Amino acid sequence: MGRQVLVTGGTGYIGSHTVVELQAVGFDVVIIDDLSNSSADVVDKIEKISGIRPAFEVFNLLDSVKLEAFFEKYSKIEAIIHFAAFKAVGESVAKPLAYYRNNLVSLMNILDCMSKYKVPNLVFSSSCTVYGQPDQLPVTENTPKKDAESPYGNTKAISEEVLRDVVKVTPDIKVIALRYFNPIGAHPSALIGELPSGIPNNLVPFITQTAAGIRKQLSIFGDDYNTPDGSCVRDYINVVDLAKAHVVAINRLLNNSNADRYEFFNVGTGTGASVLEVVKTFEEATGVKVNYKIVARRPGDIEKIYADTTIANTVLGWKAETSLHDTLLSAWNWEKKIRNIE
């Protein structure tokens, strides 16, 4: 067996794709997930893709007793990728306390166990939301962080500060925070992809569900932003490319003793695409029309953001490779498969 890595939130969207990529290069993966926004059959699908069934434990990371029992049981874990968190911007505005409690306490419980059970390496799932609405684009790692536009974004900013402070006084812990931009798409097998519970909060599943007839109409929040077509601009990254960035980060923690003990990297494509551009590219890639209407702006949304990925490209040796066209086609293939659409 290869070196053992814990993936929290490993049956979730980004987590499941990362487990597949970790197993593909020989890591022995253990998953913790409470299945609050995913389902247990994802583990079967991971096994179908990779030929390997990861170990899987179901509980919430807020339960420190269960977490300690977990680390007693799995004593060979050398690194952790921490995805498990609530992640809907709009919901976080409505339920701030739930987001602060879940996202911050779970991280603190993980850090307590890392110290107690001598697990030295952590890759943290951060977000470009830590930059707020930046004054200059593209965003580099040196772009000043601003007040977050949502409680969700603030939990990521606070988590990074917690990690930085812990690393300062804990010489045996190293952390890499990956600040993702907007992950979209699905595995080429169409066996795993983004399947939100209830009404999607993210753009691409809403596009694919509208194209599939599950949603009557896609709402585009605002067409009066200062962007080329008036709709918000984001940096949309293929989820498999993003998963591979986590594998690179884990290898850096395990094998590069010269790296700083706390590092952070932008993980995006380096190119912005507007909401309307994504809809148009989806229609071109699939030949399917999307019924949409322009509605009022949504609270918590920033106008435009995209990454400068130079540091991730040079220091990590990682680069996003999949086009927006191919990524949106993969999302549609996944939607068709789960809905049994020919």
Side-chain angles (χ1 to χ4, degrees), residues 54-133:
F56 177 42
E57 302 280 340
V58 184
F59 65 94
N60 189 296
L61 296 172
L62 298 185
D63 189 333
S64 56
V65 175
K66 282 189 178 164
L67 190 59
E68 293 215 6
F70 170 88
F71 279 101
E72 295 281 356
K73 179 177 175 183
Y74 295 95
S75 57
K76 294 193 171 73
I77 290 169
E78 294 184 55
I80 299 169
I81 303 179
H82 181 46
F83 291 110
F86 292 161
K87 63 180 181 60
V89 169
E91 184 184 59
S92 78
V93 174
K95 301 178 181 173
L97 264 184
Y99 270 68
Y100 286 116
R101 183 177 297 112
N102 185 74
N103 293 6
L104 299 176
V105 177
S106 61
L107 174 64
M108 292 176 209
N109 288 348
I110 287 278
L111 288 165
D112 280 338
C113 286
M114 286 179 71
S115 289
K116 184 168 180 179
Y117 295 96
K118 304 287 185 276
V119 180
N121 302 300
L122 178 72
V123 175
F124 176 66
S125 163
S126 191
S127 166
C128 65
T129 54
V130 302
Y131 297 114
Q133 176 60 67

Side-chain angles (χ1 to χ4, degrees), residues 224-242:
D224 56 350
Y225 287 102
N226 182 26
T227 61
D229 60 24
S231 63
C232 288
V233 167
R234 298 288 182 271
D235 185 336
Y236 293 97
I237 177 171
N238 181 281
V239 68
V240 177
D241 287 343
L242 176 57

Side-chain angles (χ1 to χ4, degrees), residues 13-15 17-18 21 81 83 123 125-126 178-184 236-249 265-269 318-322:
Y13 174 42
I14 308 170
H17 288 81
T18 302
E21 297 304 320
I81 303 179
F83 291 110
V123 175
S125 163
S126 191
L178 297 180
R179 294 175 176 168
Y180 328 146
F181 284 69
N182 288 62
I184 60 169
Y236 293 97
I237 177 171
N238 181 281
V239 68
V240 177
D241 287 343
L242 176 57
K244 288 175 178 172
H246 292 81
V247 179
V248 173
F265 298 95
N266 286 340
V267 183
T269 65
W318 168 90
K319 195 169 195 307
E321 292 170 344
T322 316

Side-chain angles (χ1 to χ4, degrees), residues 233-292:
V233 167
R234 298 288 182 271
D235 185 336
Y236 293 97
I237 177 171
N238 181 281
V239 68
V240 177
D241 287 343
L242 176 57
K244 288 175 178 172
H246 292 81
V247 179
V248 173
I250 283 288
N251 278 322
R252 182 172 175 82
L253 288 170
L254 291 172
N255 303 320
N256 187 345
S257 55
N258 298 323
D260 290 342
R261 294 202 349 269
Y262 180 83
E263 296 183 296
F264 50 95
F265 298 95
N266 286 340
V267 183
T269 65
T271 307
S274 74
V275 175
L276 285 165
E277 200 179 331
V278 172
V279 171
K280 185 167 158 243
T281 306
F282 175 85
E283 291 179 339
E284 287 168 359
T286 64
V288 180
K289 286 282 174 209
V290 178
N291 181 31
Y292 70 86

